[in-house]
Amino acid sequence: MAKATVAIVGRPNVGKSTIFNRIVGERISIVEDSPGVTRDRIYGTGDWLTHEFHLIDTGGIDMGDAPFLVEIREQAELAIEEADVIIFIVSAREGVTSTDEEVGKILFRSKKPVVLAVNKVDNPEMKADVFEFYSLGFGEPFPISGSHGLGLGDMLDEVVRHFPSDLEESEDEDIIKFSLIGRPNVGKSSIVNALLGEDRVIVSDIAGTTRDATDSAYEFEGQKYTIIDTAGMRKKGKVYEKTEKYSVLRALKAIDRSDIVLVVLNGEEGILEQDKKIAGYAHEAGRGIIIVVNKWDVVEKDDKTMKNFEEQIRAHFQFLDYAPIVFVSAKTKKRLITLPPVIKMASENHSLRVQSSVLNEIIMDAIARNPAPTDKGRRLKILYATQVGVKPPTFVVFVNDPELMHFSYERFLENRIREAFGFEGTPIKMIARART
Ligand code: GDP
Ligand code: GDP
């Protein structure tokens, strides 16, 4: 199920980030807690009633040294391009300003649903102040107070009322959905074009891809794939499309819709910090991951070059030790054809179920060889384990006390499970649960 995207728009200081934080609350941690992953508070997950949605604070996406009005306009354009529903925030303290009117005009032309929220209505007496905002032309303004948490429920009721009804992704289990992420210019679109060759199909008419019309259909040796679009494959030109935070945003959305993520590196340039950020999110999101080193044609090589590069990758991406590494060239097409089978293998492992009896044998054997260490005189006891889910494979381990399950021991068990069953190309999740 794809999530709807909601964007917050408005001039500086109206309270956008205050409201963003209110709605997202602690759930931003999926991005924030993972080491090296983006800490920008611009992209989070909110939920209201039964709906989970992406939330973007467009105010957090700064456009470099673009003039103020250009920046505001670009933020509105970005919201229009990315969002299903826009929350347009104004402030009761200042009343309608010319910048509000400017933003309003852009949003009005877009025909996207806009919910107008008048912030800083901190007490009921101020509610009369919202009437002047009718002049912006977005119907009834919702009085809210970000800092006091007032009125947000009514506003969110209105927001979810506008969610599109076609959010259901095509749940065709036979089609593997993958995306390519990575910094600009690493060669993502070149790889896609080389894979698709002359038969490039734009699948705007395929069910479930209506919202992102630039997904591509691809077939190799009888296996069907959908290549999920990311920023690098879009028309370019807008100011915001050049900003790093925008490319991160597009990547995060693509990751959400993918089964498998290809983290593309530039063999010529090596590994940069930004590569790690996005890969970290794909890992956290539980997607299958393959590391693709592109532009291998321009690298001067001897018989150790590949091995050295592999070692560098392993050192930088320790949390991705399960990800296969493939060296390719989109330009010469060398080894490109090895990619689809690796994607298929990762996808199979991503949805692999193992037998409970075999799983427990492996775990009991691991414990016998390497008993859990004691913690303040108490020892972790593992009673049994069971696989509770796939995509990614998820295991619940029943123990005497989950507090005693330390990261290093969990890691040890994970490694034993990997040795026994493979699971190459997919993260696996372990959850320790108490059973007495
Ligand atoms: P942004 O620039 O639009 O993201 O605005 P911020 O969220 O950074 O808020 C700007 C200022 O307005 C801060 O000083 C906030 O504390 C204040 N603020 C935000 N929401 C409210 C509110 O509901 N009432 C009042 N009185 N102040 C608020
Ligand atoms: P994207 O921004 O990640 O989609 O990157 P592009 O596919 O637009 O490629 C950026 C530049 O790198 C273009 O000039 C490509 O021609 C070039 N490029 C892409 N793949 C390769 C490759 O395998 N070898 C070489 N030498 N150049 C490549």
Side-chain angles (χ1 to χ4, degrees):
M1 181 86 178
K3 295 184 194 123
T5 300
V6 177
I8 300 178
V9 178
R11 61 184 172 79
N13 272 316
V14 290
K16 294 182 298 300
S17 64
T18 306
I19 289 152
F20 174 88
N21 290 336
R22 276 268 173 205
I23 298 174
V24 170
E26 291 310 303
R27 274 174 311 261
I28 198 160
S29 63
I30 183 164
V31 180
E32 259 191 335
D33 288 349
S34 22
V37 173
T38 175
R39 272 163 206 284
D40 310 315
R41 296 190 70 98
I42 56 155
Y43 184 88
T45 307
D47 62 51
W48 185 245
L49 308 177
T50 57
H51 303 269
E52 260 209 351
F53 53 89
H54 296 300
L55 188 67
I56 316 165
D57 174 7
T58 60
I61 302 194
D62 78 84
M63 309 290 168
D65 42 17
F68 174 72
L69 265 183
V70 173
E71 178 160 280
I72 295 277
R73 254 183 235 139
E74 289 282 334
Q75 286 171 351
E77 296 281 352
L78 182 148
I80 291 164
E81 175 153 331
E82 296 295 337
D84 298 299
V85 184
I86 295 164
I87 304 178
F88 177 19
I89 302 198
V90 292
S91 163
R93 302 252 154 178
E94 287 86 12
V96 179
T97 70
S98 58
T99 314
D100 293 337
E101 285 170 345
E102 188 77 24
V103 173
K105 267 187 228 155
I106 298 167
L107 297 180
F108 201 76
R109 281 199 300 267
S110 78
K111 301 193 177 77
K112 286 259 166 130
V114 173
V115 175
L116 176 64
V118 183
N119 191 35
K120 309 198 185 180
V121 180
D122 297 335
N123 55 65
E125 294 85 75
M126 291 177 69
K127 280 197 178 161
D129 297 348
V130 308
F131 291 110
E132 68 165 298
F133 292 96
Y134 270 102
S135 70
L136 289 170
F138 294 103
E140 189 190 340
F142 286 81
I144 62 170
S145 168
S147 42
H148 294 78
L150 301 172
L152 294 173
D154 288 345
M155 179 192 78
L156 289 173
D157 280 346
E158 182 66 11
V159 168
V160 301
R161 238 172 42 77
H162 291 287
F163 281 178
S165 49
D166 65 347
L167 285 171
E168 204 78 45
E169 291 268 334
S170 62
E171 281 311 323
D172 190 337
E173 290 290 322
D174 296 334
I175 302 179
I176 299 171
K177 290 185 271 187
F178 72 93
S179 55
L180 295 88
I181 61 167
R183 287 177 290 117
N185 287 320
V186 293
K188 298 180 295 297
S189 3
S190 303
I191 293 173
V192 173
N193 287 331
L195 284 175
L196 295 174
E198 296 306 305
D199 315 321
R200 173 145 205 179
V201 192
I202 307 290
V203 290
S204 49
D205 56 347
I206 289 184
T209 60
T210 43
R211 299 172 63 246
D212 279 85
T214 43
D215 290 350
S216 309
Y218 175 63
E219 192 166 334
F220 183 79
E221 292 181 341
Q223 173 65 53
K224 289 187 171 134
Y225 303 84
T226 299
I227 309 179
I228 307 278
D229 167 63
T230 41
M233 288 166 247
R234 291 226 157 184
K235 57 183 190 314
K236 293 176 181 163
K238 296 264 162 56
V239 173
Y240 59 78
E241 290 188 335
K242 297 193 191 79
T243 72
E244 180 190 325
K245 283 177 187 165
Y246 178 74
S247 62
V248 170
L249 171 70
R250 292 288 313 171
L252 298 185
K253 283 177 82 171
I255 290 168
D256 279 330
R257 298 180 49 226
S258 305
D259 300 311
I260 306 296
V261 174
L262 275 51
V263 175
V264 184
L265 305 177
N266 182 342
E268 210 180 355
E269 293 174 358
I271 299 151
L272 301 184
E273 196 52 38
Q274 201 192 328
D275 296 325
K276 283 200 250 179
K277 279 190 187 178
I278 301 187
Y281 183 83
H283 169 79
E284 285 288 305
R287 301 301 183 253
I289 297 180
I290 294 157
I291 297 171
V292 179
V293 183
N294 188 36
K295 308 200 186 184
W296 201 239
D297 56 297
V298 285
V299 175
E300 276 202 44
K301 296 173 274 281
D302 58 33
D303 56 340
K304 292 192 192 69
T305 315
M306 201 181 269
K307 195 162 178 296
N308 288 342
F309 205 97
E310 242 181 79
E311 277 166 10
Q312 266 188 57
I313 291 174
R314 293 297 176 213
H316 279 93
F317 294 91
Q318 284 181 19
F319 58 103
L320 296 185
D321 53 2
Y322 54 82
I325 303 172
V326 185
F327 294 81
V328 303
S329 164
K331 191 176 173 195
T332 66
K333 304 205 175 180
K334 194 156 185 195
R335 271 188 299 270
L336 215 55
I337 217 63
T338 61
L339 268 182
V342 176
I343 295 169
K344 190 176 177 192
M345 177 272 295
S347 170
E348 281 164 2
N349 288 336
H350 195 228
S351 45
L352 182 68
R353 272 184 201 280
V354 304
Q355 248 188 331
S356 246
S357 54
V358 185
L359 174 69
N360 280 287
E361 253 172 56
I362 303 292
I363 288 191
M364 293 313 148
D365 180 62
I367 301 168
R369 284 201 226 170
N370 177 14
T374 53
D375 181 355
K376 298 185 195 80
R378 299 182 59 224
R379 192 186 295 279
L380 175 77
K381 266 205 212 95
I382 295 179
L383 300 138
Y384 65 99
T386 182
Q387 183 172 2
V388 294
V390 293
K391 293 189 171 189
T394 304
F395 300 91
V396 168
V397 183
F398 289 98
V399 298
N400 57 337
D401 179 358
E403 298 276 305
L404 297 171
M405 176 72 103
H406 290 188
F407 177 75
S408 58
Y409 201 69
E410 192 175 299
R411 199 61 194 197
F412 160 73
L413 291 178
E414 176 177 335
N415 287 337
R416 296 316 313 264
I417 291 175
R418 285 187 180 282
E419 278 166 33
F421 301 107
F423 287 121
E424 193 181 3
T426 178
I428 65 182
K429 275 199 183 133
M430 303 253 273
I431 303 162
R433 208 165 272 167
R435 169 73 36 108
T436 43

